[in-house]
Amino acid sequence: MVKVGDVFYINTTKGRGYFQYVKHYPRFSYLIRVFEGIYPDEDQNIAGIVHSPVAFLIFFPLGAADRRKLVHKCGHVPLDEEGQKIPVFRNGVPDPQTNRVEVWCFSDEEKEWFVENITDEQRKLPLKIIANAASLIYKIDNGWRPENHPW
């Protein structure tokens, strides 16, 4: 059973990517925060890693990935103040012809609102998407960030 604050790594093609379990959203999945950097295949200072910058937040089927041993628990560190904040997510459906989102939906745990043209700062907000293990590895290996997502 995974617990909030558990720290995991996933093996990527370039080394280990580390992340921490933040919260379970029953309608989506487990929210994780992925830390910047790829580390060699050896034990790391977990407390130091969880204080490094967060590359991105994303939903991930952590329970299933843990049971299938696609990820490896390597410690537990209580969430810091930043990790406990409820993020605002953005979501949108791209037009299949233009691959552009015409209207974005922003949401937190209490409300939703819609925006047509988003700012550069809003583009950095976490996307309300679920990554599988292959997608998470790809994102870590390639320095993915929400603001660089194609839509």
Side-chain angles (χ1 to χ4, degrees):
M1 186 89 180
V2 297
K3 295 183 173 106
V4 170
D6 284 350
V7 180
F8 295 82
Y9 70 84
I10 188 166
N11 289 313
T12 77
T13 62
K14 297 179 179 179
R16 290 180 178 176
Y18 286 84
F19 63 88
Q20 186 176 32
Y21 169 39
V22 175
K23 183 175 179 163
H24 184 253
Y25 286 74
R27 290 185 46 209
F28 290 94
S29 193
Y30 296 83
L31 181 65
I32 61 171
R33 60 182 190 164
V34 179
F35 300 102
E36 284 187 0
I38 297 174
Y39 297 83
D41 295 338
E42 57 192 43
D43 291 337
Q44 297 294 321
N45 174 358
I46 302 306
I49 290 174
V50 299
H51 290 97
S52 63
V54 174
F56 57 90
L57 297 169
I58 199 160
F59 290 101
F60 179 68
L62 180 57
D66 185 43
R67 286 189 299 277
R68 294 180 60 209
K69 305 215 182 302
L70 299 173
V71 298
H72 309 277
K73 183 177 173 184
C74 55
H76 180 91
V77 178
L79 290 175
D80 60 16
E81 189 176 319
E82 188 65 27
Q84 293 177 34
K85 290 181 181 175
I86 304 303
V88 172
F89 296 97
R90 70 179 167 104
N91 191 24
V93 178
D95 180 306
Q97 293 178 331
T98 65
N99 203 32
R100 282 184 35 94
V101 174
E102 298 298 328
V103 178
W104 288 96
C105 177
F106 290 89
S107 61
D108 58 21
E109 286 190 316
E110 297 176 7
K111 61 187 178 305
E112 288 185 339
W113 62 99
F114 297 92
V115 176
E116 287 186 29
N117 298 309
I118 63 174
T119 66
D120 289 342
E121 202 58 36
Q122 289 171 322
R123 190 164 295 285
K124 293 177 183 178
L125 293 173
L127 287 162
K128 202 172 205 177
I129 58 175
I130 302 170
N132 63 19
S135 175
L136 183 61
I137 290 168
Y138 177 85
K139 285 172 174 31
I140 292 169
D141 274 348
N142 292 286
W144 180 88
R145 300 293 183 273
E147 61 267 29
N148 299 332
H149 196 73
W151 45 268

